[in-house]
Amino acid sequence: MASDVVGSARDASELVRLRALTDALTAKVSELEGRVGGEADPVERSDELHRILAANLPGTSVFLLDHDLRILIADGEAIRRLPWFDADMFRGRLVAELDGMIPDEVLELSLSTYRAALQGERGGFDFLSEGLTFSVQAVPVRDDDDAVESVLVVARDITEQTQAEQQIARQARQQMAVAELGRFALETHDLGRLMAEAVTTATTTLGVDGGGILELSEDGRNLTVVAGAGLPDGMVGRHQIPFGDSANAGYTLRTGEPTIVEDMTAEARFKPAPFLLKLGVVSSVTVPILGQGRSFGVLDVRARAPRGFSEDDVAFLSAIATLITVAVERHRDEQAARHAALHDPLTDLPNRTLALDRLAYAVNRRQREGIDVAVLVLDVDRFKTINDAAGHAAGDEVLLVLAGRLTAAVRSTDTVARLSGDEFIVICPDVKGTRGATEVAERLASAVTGRMVLDSGEHAFTVSTGIALAGARQDTPESLLRDADAAMYRAKARGRGRYELFDAAMRIEATARVRIEADLRRALDHGELKAWYQPVIDLATGSAVSTEALVRWEHPERGLILPMEFIPVAEEAGLIAELGLQVLEQACCQTAAWQQDINPELGVSVNVSGRQVIAPTFSAQVAAIADRSDLRAGTLALEITESVFMEEADSPATVLGSLQEYGLALVLDDFGTGYSSLSRLKRFPLDSLKIDRSFVSGVDSNADDRAIVKATIDMAHAVGLTVVAEGVETREQEERLRALGCDLAQGYLYARPQPPNAVTDLLALSAMVIRPLL
Ligand code: C2E
Ligand code: CA
Ligand code: CA
């Protein structure tokens, strides 16, 4: 017989109400007594009273006790809800005689309260029994002499009211718990701690035996216990159950609705997870932790006894689940932002920042543990060519494939990162000296070299690799990266598709290169690049028929800089197109002036790098500049090298063809240094061949050179090409060339490249046909 006292006298208004009631009763009793002539039969009197009370006070039970606390009346609908209440047994007994028939506590409180009432004190108490809460009030009933004659006891069933109050209190407690957890969620960035805190909040607030959070794996196959209360050690973070309808967690997550189990032994919807059964869990509530896109998992609480869970309990757990969802999403957003800040959006490889960070870590570790750290910078050879010719989408595709191949070729402890455009960096935090580093370089090169068949077509590449090994104590991530970069440039300069190890001489070169690039941008803006000219002589007449424009950099501090020093930088830095246009513009204007003043037939040839030709705007820009100048039609030639024809794409041929239709002549420069045969060159719309200086210099002294030059001239003439010899320095060379039938010549023998004013004088002289000029 469980009983519990839950309160003392209820509020004052109730007493006032009771006071009014006793007054009414007293009046009624007096009236009855009057009617039965003062000798009222107690039984009749009590029955009558009972009738009145029961009629007037539904939900209330009434006891009337005499001054010995003998029960005169004991009945009422409310009290009959208690199984131990028995009106017939109670009536006529002293309250003290109820010992053993009613709960001890109720008896004790009754006696003390009623005794006080006999002393004229109003009082009361609450008790809880059989799940019901009663409020008991005792009021002294006085006779005409104002002495206490009897005690009127009113017991009311306040279960509903109490439950409502308890519910409000519980809700308030739950709301506070949720608010508290919410505050914690905002403060912490540690998702693990939040999960643990959430479970604690859920279990302590609901007063259950245990609880936990299960997280759905990314592949959606498993649920892992990520936080728990009342679980065996070592289970959190490790224990997994398969995701599916068979267990309540999976069932809840799939339906997206809370699942309440009041008694697991009677559960039919699914088989509870074995670990729950092992824990002796009998009842539980599981709520889903949903999320936009991907759901996180479930939160559950459980008890070892059958137990019901109210809507409030479920709402409370759902509120916690929502908090977790918000925190998880915030966490995911933060992670995504952090990831984005440290990764390259195209390939998802670490970016420069993260690479430098990892490198710093490796360098630190190296100093502690004496291991070798290698940094490799890889640059895709002629990547810009592919990008310009096949489009950015193709370029992106190539980079993605390369990123994958590079990553697959290194160890998991190595880092592959994308520095910029077509530049990758590989950090090996533990290699065996230079040998180990070069082995990595070779492995990487063979992983990316070769044909690649992509949506955009077939591509073939090589990479140029620069290697730097952390050696000196003062090596920093930045200095290592710079060194590897310098070595990479050396590899490119030495013919691409190879690797170079950094050495000290490169450091100087690299710093110079960086300075040149920065200076060059300024130079282009300030017009520091000037076209100089070298006359081209007709070997038959000895007069200048055209000039070759050769760019010079008139650097404000360093003086004159030759093209070999800055043309490769301009090509790598993407400045060559702008540079080329500036030279072309100057050459066209200057030559138009010379045509006007000296020789209307004078031609000009301008050097064009391969990078320029494949740019889609190239031919339109050339045509626009030629149009703008007053250059006579048919007097402009472009000089291109064989490498332009080696490109995979057909676009150079198309571009050059359209330029030729426009009236431009095409000169193949440096002939003999490349691999192309004349037959292959027939595919291209050429007008002239320029024999490279290396053959010209030996034409008078070396039989092989002479043979090559002769064969070249003969074959060129056979296909209708004019032949120019460049780098003619001696009279002997000139004689030989003329004898072999060479058409035109240029070289120091006639004139060095010079600024326009100086050339004006030379041309004026040449127009008078004075040979040789020097
Ligand atoms: P290139 O087109 O083969 O130009 C001929 C180079 O030989 C020029 O060097 C010229 O000064 C040099 N040269 C001429 N005659 C003689 C000689 O008798 N003996 C010797 N030893 N050298 C002679 P430069 O001006 O230093 O130009 C070097 C290269 O730079 C050029 O080789 C060309 O490929 C490139 N270049 C020059 N100007 C431009 C330009 O405006 N645009 C582009 N894309 N490249 C240019
Ligand atoms: Ca040239
Ligand atoms: Ca040349």
Side-chain angles (χ1 to χ4, degrees):
M1 218 188 288
S3 100
D4 189 10
V5 176
V6 294
S8 61
R10 305 204 73 84
D11 61 14
S13 66
E14 194 151 356
L15 285 177
V16 173
R17 220 156 48 75
L18 278 169
R19 174 81 240 187
L21 178 66
T22 30
D23 288 351
L25 279 170
T26 316
K28 196 73 198 169
V29 171
S30 313
E31 188 195 308
L32 281 170
E33 278 170 348
R35 213 174 57 211
V36 297
E39 292 278 309
D41 170 10
V43 175
E44 186 190 337
R45 201 170 72 164
S46 84
D47 281 354
E48 183 61 14
L49 268 171
H50 174 213
R51 204 184 50 75
I52 295 162
L53 288 169
N56 288 297
L57 300 165
T60 300
S61 297
V62 174
F63 296 74
L64 191 64
L65 314 173
D66 67 10
H67 51 263
D68 297 325
L69 297 186
R70 185 176 298 282
I71 302 168
L72 301 179
I73 297 175
D75 209 356
E77 183 266 328
I79 199 79
R80 265 186 259 127
R81 293 174 195 161
L82 292 172
W84 44 260
F85 175 78
D86 185 337
D88 296 333
M89 292 278 286
F90 286 15
R91 203 179 297 121
R93 279 180 199 268
L94 294 175
V95 172
E97 286 172 359
L98 296 181
D99 192 9
M101 299 164 67
I102 70 173
D104 289 350
E105 251 174 317
V106 177
L107 179 64
E108 251 168 58
L109 285 160
S110 299
L111 283 172
S112 59
T113 308
Y114 305 156
R115 280 176 190 142
L118 288 178
Q119 302 306 310
E121 274 178 43
R122 245 177 253 116
F125 61 91
D126 292 354
F127 73 89
L128 179 70
S129 179
E130 309 290 329
L132 298 174
T133 308
F134 278 83
S135 165
V136 179
Q137 295 298 324
V139 182
V141 179
R142 296 170 190 276
D143 60 15
D144 294 342
D145 302 329
D146 214 23
V148 177
E149 174 206 53
S150 57
V151 178
L152 176 69
V153 178
V154 179
R156 289 194 306 126
D157 180 353
I158 56 162
T159 309
E160 263 177 40
Q161 183 189 341
T162 312
Q163 275 174 351
E165 281 169 5
Q166 279 172 348
Q167 189 186 18
I168 288 168
R170 201 169 49 234
Q171 279 171 347
R173 219 169 38 239
Q174 292 177 348
Q175 275 162 13
M176 256 170 59
V178 170
E180 192 67 36
L181 188 66
R183 201 157 39 237
F184 182 76
L186 279 181
E187 280 164 12
T188 188
H189 289 266
D190 183 342
L191 210 49
R193 272 193 62 199
L194 174 65
M195 301 281 177
E197 199 65 30
V199 172
T200 310
T201 302
T203 50
T204 52
T205 310
L206 292 180
V208 288
D209 300 313
I213 293 176
L214 289 107
E215 181 180 351
L216 184 62
S217 60
E218 234 162 272
D219 62 11
R221 293 219 192 134
N222 294 300
L223 287 155
T224 307
V225 180
V226 290
L231 289 176
D233 282 350
M235 199 160 174
V236 173
R238 253 180 250 146
H239 191 78
Q240 278 198 340
I241 57 168
F243 174 59
D245 270 2
S246 59
N248 39 350
Y251 180 85
T252 305
L253 199 51
R254 192 186 54 73
T255 56
E257 298 290 336
T259 312
I260 301 175
V261 178
E262 290 187 1
D263 187 351
M264 246 171 217
T265 53
E267 185 52 59
R269 290 168 292 179
F270 42 77
K271 266 216 308 290
F275 84 94
L276 293 180
L277 294 177
K278 221 182 283 167
L279 288 170
V281 170
V282 171
S283 55
S284 70
V285 191
T286 312
V287 294
I289 305 172
L290 302 168
Q292 290 171 4
R294 193 157 65 87
S295 289
F296 180 80
V298 297
L299 163 70
D300 72 357
V301 294
R302 51 217 174 220
R304 279 192 224 96
R307 134 163 204 177
F309 288 94
S310 67
E311 265 175 42
D312 284 345
D313 295 343
V314 176
F316 165 65
L317 289 175
S318 296
I320 292 182
T322 304
L323 265 180
I324 297 172
T325 300
V326 171
V328 165
E329 259 157 23
R330 191 184 58 155
H331 187 77
R332 281 180 187 162
D333 287 351
E334 283 170 359
Q335 268 188 327
R338 205 167 329 142
H339 186 89
L342 296 176
H343 290 81
D344 162 45
L346 174 67
T347 59
D348 206 37
L349 289 176
N351 63 12
R352 182 186 205 95
T353 312
L354 183 54
L356 280 172
D357 196 58
R358 299 231 175 120
L359 185 53
Y361 179 80
V363 169
N364 271 332
R365 224 191 92 205
R366 175 193 165 271
Q367 276 155 7
R368 280 197 320 272
E369 296 171 24
I371 47 166
D372 288 320
V373 177
V375 180
L376 294 91
V377 168
L378 291 92
D379 192 281
V380 184
D381 297 328
R382 301 205 174 83
F383 175 75
K384 287 201 176 67
T385 312
I386 297 167
N387 217 25
D388 294 344
H392 281 284
D396 285 356
E397 202 188 357
V398 167
L399 289 173
L400 274 171
V401 173
L402 286 180
R405 290 192 183 177
L406 290 174
T407 309
V410 298
R411 285 193 271 171
S412 61
T413 46
D414 298 343
T415 297
V416 177
R418 182 171 173 221
L419 286 187
S420 65
D422 56 343
E423 221 178 32
F424 293 90
I425 178 177
V426 176
I427 297 162
C428 305
D430 190 2
V431 290
K432 295 247 170 337
T434 26
R435 216 213 154 109
T438 54
E439 270 168 24
V440 175
E442 277 161 18
R443 188 148 28 90
L444 290 171
S446 62
V448 298
T449 310
R451 307 229 144 232
M452 191 186 274
V453 183
L454 304 177
D455 293 350
S456 52
E458 199 173 299
H459 305 280
F461 323 90
T462 52
V463 287
S464 297
T465 307
I467 309 169
L469 269 174
R473 275 215 141 262
Q474 64 272 19
D475 274 334
T476 64
E478 288 78 11
S479 74
L480 281 169
L481 189 57
R482 209 177 47 227
D483 294 351
D485 218 38
M488 186 273 289
Y489 274 109
R490 165 70 57 86
K492 273 214 190 291
R494 290 195 173 162
R496 302 167 199 259
R498 50 186 291 153
Y499 63 81
E500 289 288 335
L501 263 155
F502 177 79
D503 62 40
M506 276 186 222
R507 176 166 286 149
I508 298 162
E509 207 179 278
T511 11
R513 163 180 289 277
V514 171
R515 214 183 54 215
I516 287 176
E517 185 181 326
D519 275 13
L520 195 55
R521 290 179 195 278
R522 195 208 51 211
L524 284 167
D525 288 345
H526 291 70
E528 290 170 21
L529 296 167
K530 297 278 160 52
W532 284 23
Y533 302 88
Q534 182 179 42
V536 178
I537 308 300
D538 182 341
L539 282 173
T541 65
S543 62
V545 291
S546 71
T547 67
E548 177 179 4
L550 293 159
V551 68
R552 295 291 180 271
W553 181 356
E554 293 174 358
H555 195 286
E557 288 133 36
R558 298 174 59 204
L560 198 68
I561 306 178
L562 290 174
M564 289 321 271
E565 217 182 308
F566 61 88
I567 292 281
V569 180
E571 285 181 338
E572 287 293 342
L575 298 170
I576 193 66
E578 174 59 21
L579 184 152
L581 291 178
Q582 291 194 8
V583 173
L584 183 70
E585 177 107 52
Q586 293 177 37
C588 289
C589 291
Q590 183 58 61
T591 305
W594 284 329
Q595 287 175 351
Q596 185 89 46
D597 301 342
I598 302 168
N599 176 4
E601 306 289 328
L602 190 76
V604 65
S605 59
V606 177
N607 293 286
V608 167
S609 104
R611 289 266 167 92
Q612 284 171 269
V613 179
I614 49 170
T617 48
F618 176 71
S619 56
Q621 282 171 330
V622 171
I625 290 173
D627 278 349
R628 223 183 302 142
S629 69
D630 293 321
L631 205 64
R632 283 189 50 187
T635 56
L636 176 61
L638 298 182
E639 292 191 11
I640 49 180
T641 55
E642 280 170 90
S643 63
V644 174
F645 302 117
M646 303 299 281
E647 299 297 345
E648 301 280 307
D650 327 312
S651 61
T654 323
V655 171
L656 297 174
S658 74
L659 283 171
Q660 203 182 37
E661 275 166 33
Y662 184 76
L664 267 75
L666 292 178
V667 181
L668 181 63
D669 207 351
D670 302 341
F671 184 76
T673 56
Y675 309 95
S676 26
S677 60
L678 268 178
S679 60
R680 183 180 148 87
L681 293 175
K682 263 199 289 192
R683 283 174 48 210
F684 297 96
L686 294 172
D687 297 283
S688 309
L689 270 190
K690 204 178 248 195
I691 302 176
D692 192 68
R693 194 173 72 225
S694 56
F695 302 102
V696 171
S697 66
V699 77
D700 59 326
S701 54
N702 182 311
D704 286 347
D705 285 351
R706 192 158 51 240
I708 292 171
V709 171
K710 181 178 167 15
T712 305
I713 294 172
D714 290 349
M715 283 192 287
H717 283 166
V719 293
L721 301 180
T722 310
V723 181
V724 189
E726 70 177 353
V728 181
E729 293 183 345
T730 66
R731 190 81 57 199
E732 289 74 25
Q733 291 164 355
E734 183 194 48
E735 290 303 332
R736 281 291 179 184
L737 289 164
R738 193 182 292 113
L740 292 172
C742 184
D743 306 294
L744 305 169
Q746 64 182 107
Y748 294 171
L749 175 62
Y750 313 103
R752 290 180 175 255
Q754 292 167 64
N757 286 341
V759 177
T760 304
D761 297 342
L762 283 177
L763 291 174
L765 278 174
S766 174
M768 291 180 255
V769 193
I770 296 170
R771 54 178 291 247
L773 291 167
L774 279 181

